[in-house]
Structure formats: structure tokens, C-alpha cells
Amino acid sequence: MTTTEAAVQSLSIGEVAEQTGLSVHALRFYEREGLLVGPVQRTPGGRRRYTSYDVDWLLICVKLRESGMPLADLKHFAELVRQGPGNEEARLRLLDAHRQRVDAQIQALEECRSVIAWKVDVYAEHLARGEANGLWDPTT
């Protein structure tokens, strides 16, 4: 199969759901909300048919949403992509702003993990010495 043939490979909504981890309901939602960059093709019977390009785009969308990108930003990004060449700077600004938010979340989570690790060490040390009694017991 050539690259072009693979790109235009026709996939059912169930196959796309399996490949992307999105539910069929979520795929329909993405289409309704204008989150796809191209129109979803239909069979003569009205069934949705997707290409591997659709799957690639959806996999990007999944990661952007999992990382906390607001739906409005994802819609805007999809719209910019649909518009084609000429707005790459706007796309870059949108993605960079999201990356900065993700970086801040990662830093905050690392700080949380550090506090949790410290507290685990405190409890482990006290338990190992048999001195866990009364370890931060607000009822005493």
C-alpha cells in the first residue's frame, strides 16, 4: 500500500474510535463542534468514513485535550488549520501559550510530588523505628 493509498484508506467510526481511544459519541461531538480539519466523508447509506489523515489529526486533538487545552482553543486551532497556509504564526502562538500552561502544571505537580515524597519518607522512617504513634494526630 502506498502512502497515498494509506492516507485515503476508508475507516469506519468504530475503527477510528478504536485507534484514537475516543468514543463514537465523542467522535460525533468533535464533528458537530467543528474540531475536525476536513469534512467527514459519508457512504451512500450515510455512514461516516474517515481517512488516516483524520486519525492523525484526532490523535493530536486527544493529546491537546488530555493536556488541558480548552475546547475553544482547540476549535480555534482547527479553524486556523482549515484556513490553510498563511496563519502559521497564529497557530504557533496558540500552541506556545498552551505549552506554557502545561509547563506550569508540570511544575506545580512536581512541587506536589515533592511534598508527598517528603511525607511518605517521614511516615516510613517513623514506622521503621516503631515511633508512628501520634504522628500528626489532631485528636490528641
mmCIF file with all atom_site columns, all heavy atoms in Angstrom, residues 8-21:
data_model
loop_
_atom_site.group_PDB
_atom_site.id
_atom_site.type_symbol
_atom_site.label_atom_id
_atom_site.label_alt_id
_atom_site.label_comp_id
_atom_site.label_asym_id
_atom_site.label_entity_id
_atom_site.label_seq_id
_atom_site.pdbx_PDB_ins_code
_atom_site.Cartn_x
_atom_site.Cartn_y
_atom_site.Cartn_z
_atom_site.occupancy
_atom_site.B_iso_or_equiv
_atom_site.pdbx_formal_charge
_atom_site.auth_seq_id
_atom_site.auth_comp_id
_atom_site.auth_asym_id
_atom_site.auth_atom_id
_atom_site.pdbx_PDB_model_num
ATOM 1  N N   . VAL A 1 8  ? -5.841  7.711  2.164  1.00 0.00 ? 8  VAL A N   1
ATOM 2  C CA  . VAL A 1 8  ? -7.244  7.765  1.779  1.00 0.00 ? 8  VAL A CA  1
ATOM 3  C C   . VAL A 1 8  ? -7.992  6.507  2.178  1.00 0.00 ? 8  VAL A C   1
ATOM 4  O O   . VAL A 1 8  ? -9.137  6.324  1.810  1.00 0.00 ? 8  VAL A O   1
ATOM 5  C CB  . VAL A 1 8  ? -7.407  8.037  0.263  1.00 0.00 ? 8  VAL A CB  1
ATOM 6  C CG1 . VAL A 1 8  ? -6.863  9.398  -0.088 1.00 0.00 ? 8  VAL A CG1 1
ATOM 7  C CG2 . VAL A 1 8  ? -6.752  6.955  -0.561 1.00 0.00 ? 8  VAL A CG2 1
ATOM 8  N N   . GLN A 1 9  ? -7.332  5.658  2.943  1.00 0.00 ? 9  GLN A N   1
ATOM 9  C CA  . GLN A 1 9  ? -7.974  4.455  3.440  1.00 0.00 ? 9  GLN A CA  1
ATOM 10 C C   . GLN A 1 9  ? -9.259  4.842  4.168  1.00 0.00 ? 9  GLN A C   1
ATOM 11 O O   . GLN A 1 9  ? -9.281  5.770  4.961  1.00 0.00 ? 9  GLN A O   1
ATOM 12 C CB  . GLN A 1 9  ? -7.024  3.725  4.396  1.00 0.00 ? 9  GLN A CB  1
ATOM 13 C CG  . GLN A 1 9  ? -7.600  2.472  5.002  1.00 0.00 ? 9  GLN A CG  1
ATOM 14 C CD  . GLN A 1 9  ? -6.634  1.864  5.998  1.00 0.00 ? 9  GLN A CD  1
ATOM 15 O OE1 . GLN A 1 9  ? -5.679  2.486  6.417  1.00 0.00 ? 9  GLN A OE1 1
ATOM 16 N NE2 . GLN A 1 9  ? -6.904  0.645  6.384  1.00 0.00 ? 9  GLN A NE2 1
ATOM 17 N N   . SER A 1 10 ? -10.312 4.152  3.874  1.00 0.00 ? 10 SER A N   1
ATOM 18 C CA  . SER A 1 10 ? -11.604 4.453  4.457  1.00 0.00 ? 10 SER A CA  1
ATOM 19 C C   . SER A 1 10 ? -11.798 3.651  5.739  1.00 0.00 ? 10 SER A C   1
ATOM 20 O O   . SER A 1 10 ? -11.726 2.428  5.731  1.00 0.00 ? 10 SER A O   1
ATOM 21 C CB  . SER A 1 10 ? -12.689 4.105  3.427  1.00 0.00 ? 10 SER A CB  1
ATOM 22 O OG  . SER A 1 10 ? -13.955 4.408  3.924  1.00 0.00 ? 10 SER A OG  1
ATOM 23 N N   . LEU A 1 11 ? -12.038 4.365  6.831  1.00 0.00 ? 11 LEU A N   1
ATOM 24 C CA  . LEU A 1 11 ? -12.208 3.734  8.140  1.00 0.00 ? 11 LEU A CA  1
ATOM 25 C C   . LEU A 1 11 ? -13.589 4.061  8.696  1.00 0.00 ? 11 LEU A C   1
ATOM 26 O O   . LEU A 1 11 ? -14.068 5.179  8.570  1.00 0.00 ? 11 LEU A O   1
ATOM 27 C CB  . LEU A 1 11 ? -11.149 4.255  9.112  1.00 0.00 ? 11 LEU A CB  1
ATOM 28 C CG  . LEU A 1 11 ? -9.692  4.059  8.692  1.00 0.00 ? 11 LEU A CG  1
ATOM 29 C CD1 . LEU A 1 11 ? -8.779  4.921  9.541  1.00 0.00 ? 11 LEU A CD1 1
ATOM 30 C CD2 . LEU A 1 11 ? -9.320  2.601  8.805  1.00 0.00 ? 11 LEU A CD2 1
ATOM 31 N N   . SER A 1 12 ? -14.177 3.092  9.348  1.00 0.00 ? 12 SER A N   1
ATOM 32 C CA  . SER A 1 12 ? -15.479 3.314  9.982  1.00 0.00 ? 12 SER A CA  1
ATOM 33 C C   . SER A 1 12 ? -15.296 4.100  11.270 1.00 0.00 ? 12 SER A C   1
ATOM 34 O O   . SER A 1 12 ? -14.193 4.210  11.810 1.00 0.00 ? 12 SER A O   1
ATOM 35 C CB  . SER A 1 12 ? -16.146 1.977  10.295 1.00 0.00 ? 12 SER A CB  1
ATOM 36 O OG  . SER A 1 12 ? -15.469 1.344  11.372 1.00 0.00 ? 12 SER A OG  1
ATOM 37 N N   . ILE A 1 13 ? -16.387 4.605  11.793 1.00 0.00 ? 13 ILE A N   1
ATOM 38 C CA  . ILE A 1 13 ? -16.333 5.356  13.049 1.00 0.00 ? 13 ILE A CA  1
ATOM 39 C C   . ILE A 1 13 ? -15.855 4.461  14.192 1.00 0.00 ? 13 ILE A C   1
ATOM 40 O O   . ILE A 1 13 ? -15.120 4.899  15.069 1.00 0.00 ? 13 ILE A O   1
ATOM 41 C CB  . ILE A 1 13 ? -17.690 6.032  13.352 1.00 0.00 ? 13 ILE A CB  1
ATOM 42 C CG1 . ILE A 1 13 ? -17.518 7.104  14.428 1.00 0.00 ? 13 ILE A CG1 1
ATOM 43 C CG2 . ILE A 1 13 ? -18.750 5.002  13.710 1.00 0.00 ? 13 ILE A CG2 1
ATOM 44 C CD1 . ILE A 1 13 ? -18.723 8.017  14.584 1.00 0.00 ? 13 ILE A CD1 1
ATOM 45 N N   . GLY A 1 14 ? -16.231 3.185  14.151 1.00 0.00 ? 14 GLY A N   1
ATOM 46 C CA  . GLY A 1 14 ? -15.773 2.251  15.176 1.00 0.00 ? 14 GLY A CA  1
ATOM 47 C C   . GLY A 1 14 ? -14.279 2.014  15.111 1.00 0.00 ? 14 GLY A C   1
ATOM 48 O O   . GLY A 1 14 ? -13.603 1.930  16.144 1.00 0.00 ? 14 GLY A O   1
ATOM 49 N N   . GLU A 1 15 ? -13.750 1.893  13.888 1.00 0.00 ? 15 GLU A N   1
ATOM 50 C CA  . GLU A 1 15 ? -12.302 1.708  13.724 1.00 0.00 ? 15 GLU A CA  1
ATOM 51 C C   . GLU A 1 15 ? -11.538 2.936  14.208 1.00 0.00 ? 15 GLU A C   1
ATOM 52 O O   . GLU A 1 15 ? -10.491 2.816  14.857 1.00 0.00 ? 15 GLU A O   1
ATOM 53 C CB  . GLU A 1 15 ? -11.974 1.416  12.258 1.00 0.00 ? 15 GLU A CB  1
ATOM 54 C CG  . GLU A 1 15 ? -12.481 0.071  11.785 1.00 0.00 ? 15 GLU A CG  1
ATOM 55 C CD  . GLU A 1 15 ? -12.401 -0.096 10.269 1.00 0.00 ? 15 GLU A CD  1
ATOM 56 O OE1 . GLU A 1 15 ? -12.640 0.888  9.525  1.00 0.00 ? 15 GLU A OE1 1
ATOM 57 O OE2 . GLU A 1 15 ? -12.118 -1.229 9.826  1.00 0.00 ? 15 GLU A OE2 1
ATOM 58 N N   . VAL A 1 16 ? -12.067 4.111  13.916 1.00 0.00 ? 16 VAL A N   1
ATOM 59 C CA  . VAL A 1 16 ? -11.412 5.343  14.350 1.00 0.00 ? 16 VAL A CA  1
ATOM 60 C C   . VAL A 1 16 ? -11.482 5.467  15.874 1.00 0.00 ? 16 VAL A C   1
ATOM 61 O O   . VAL A 1 16 ? -10.516 5.870  16.520 1.00 0.00 ? 16 VAL A O   1
ATOM 62 C CB  . VAL A 1 16 ? -12.024 6.572  13.646 1.00 0.00 ? 16 VAL A CB  1
ATOM 63 C CG1 . VAL A 1 16 ? -11.477 7.868  14.217 1.00 0.00 ? 16 VAL A CG1 1
ATOM 64 C CG2 . VAL A 1 16 ? -11.761 6.498  12.148 1.00 0.00 ? 16 VAL A CG2 1
ATOM 65 N N   . ALA A 1 17 ? -12.614 5.090  16.437 1.00 0.00 ? 17 ALA A N   1
ATOM 66 C CA  . ALA A 1 17 ? -12.744 5.112  17.901 1.00 0.00 ? 17 ALA A CA  1
ATOM 67 C C   . ALA A 1 17 ? -11.689 4.214  18.528 1.00 0.00 ? 17 ALA A C   1
ATOM 68 O O   . ALA A 1 17 ? -11.032 4.595  19.507 1.00 0.00 ? 17 ALA A O   1
ATOM 69 C CB  . ALA A 1 17 ? -14.151 4.667  18.304 1.00 0.00 ? 17 ALA A CB  1
ATOM 70 N N   . GLU A 1 18 ? -11.501 3.042  17.962 1.00 0.00 ? 18 GLU A N   1
ATOM 71 C CA  . GLU A 1 18 ? -10.506 2.104  18.490 1.00 0.00 ? 18 GLU A CA  1
ATOM 72 C C   . GLU A 1 18 ? -9.093  2.660  18.364 1.00 0.00 ? 18 GLU A C   1
ATOM 73 O O   . GLU A 1 18 ? -8.287  2.550  19.290 1.00 0.00 ? 18 GLU A O   1
ATOM 74 C CB  . GLU A 1 18 ? -10.621 0.770  17.746 1.00 0.00 ? 18 GLU A CB  1
ATOM 75 C CG  . GLU A 1 18 ? -9.754  -0.323 18.314 1.00 0.00 ? 18 GLU A CG  1
ATOM 76 C CD  . GLU A 1 18 ? -9.980  -1.654 17.603 1.00 0.00 ? 18 GLU A CD  1
ATOM 77 O OE1 . GLU A 1 18 ? -11.149 -2.035 17.430 1.00 0.00 ? 18 GLU A OE1 1
ATOM 78 O OE2 . GLU A 1 18 ? -8.974  -2.278 17.231 1.00 0.00 ? 18 GLU A OE2 1
ATOM 79 N N   . GLN A 1 19 ? -8.783  3.284  17.247 1.00 0.00 ? 19 GLN A N   1
ATOM 80 C CA  . GLN A 1 19 ? -7.427  3.798  17.014 1.00 0.00 ? 19 GLN A CA  1
ATOM 81 C C   . GLN A 1 19 ? -7.107  5.039  17.838 1.00 0.00 ? 19 GLN A C   1
ATOM 82 O O   . GLN A 1 19 ? -5.950  5.292  18.166 1.00 0.00 ? 19 GLN A O   1
ATOM 83 C CB  . GLN A 1 19 ? -7.218  4.105  15.530 1.00 0.00 ? 19 GLN A CB  1
ATOM 84 C CG  . GLN A 1 19 ? -7.122  2.872  14.666 1.00 0.00 ? 19 GLN A CG  1
ATOM 85 C CD  . GLN A 1 19 ? -6.799  3.212  13.221 1.00 0.00 ? 19 GLN A CD  1
ATOM 86 O OE1 . GLN A 1 19 ? -6.148  4.216  12.933 1.00 0.00 ? 19 GLN A OE1 1
ATOM 87 N NE2 . GLN A 1 19 ? -7.243  2.371  12.298 1.00 0.00 ? 19 GLN A NE2 1
ATOM 88 N N   . THR A 1 20 ? -8.126  5.834  18.159 1.00 0.00 ? 20 THR A N   1
ATOM 89 C CA  . THR A 1 20 ? -7.886  7.105  18.845 1.00 0.00 ? 20 THR A CA  1
ATOM 90 C C   . THR A 1 20 ? -8.182  7.056  20.339 1.00 0.00 ? 20 THR A C   1
ATOM 91 O O   . THR A 1 20 ? -7.755  7.939  21.077 1.00 0.00 ? 20 THR A O   1
ATOM 92 C CB  . THR A 1 20 ? -8.743  8.228  18.244 1.00 0.00 ? 20 THR A CB  1
ATOM 93 O OG1 . THR A 1 20 ? -10.130 7.891  18.405 1.00 0.00 ? 20 THR A OG1 1
ATOM 94 C CG2 . THR A 1 20 ? -8.407  8.459  16.776 1.00 0.00 ? 20 THR A CG2 1
ATOM 95 N N   . GLY A 1 21 ? -8.933  6.047  20.764 1.00 0.00 ? 21 GLY A N   1
ATOM 96 C CA  . GLY A 1 21 ? -9.346  5.987  22.158 1.00 0.00 ? 21 GLY A CA  1
ATOM 97 C C   . GLY A 1 21 ? -10.554 6.868  22.459 1.00 0.00 ? 21 GLY A C   1
ATOM 98 O O   . GLY A 1 21 ? -10.986 6.961  23.602 1.00 0.00 ? 21 GLY A O   1
#
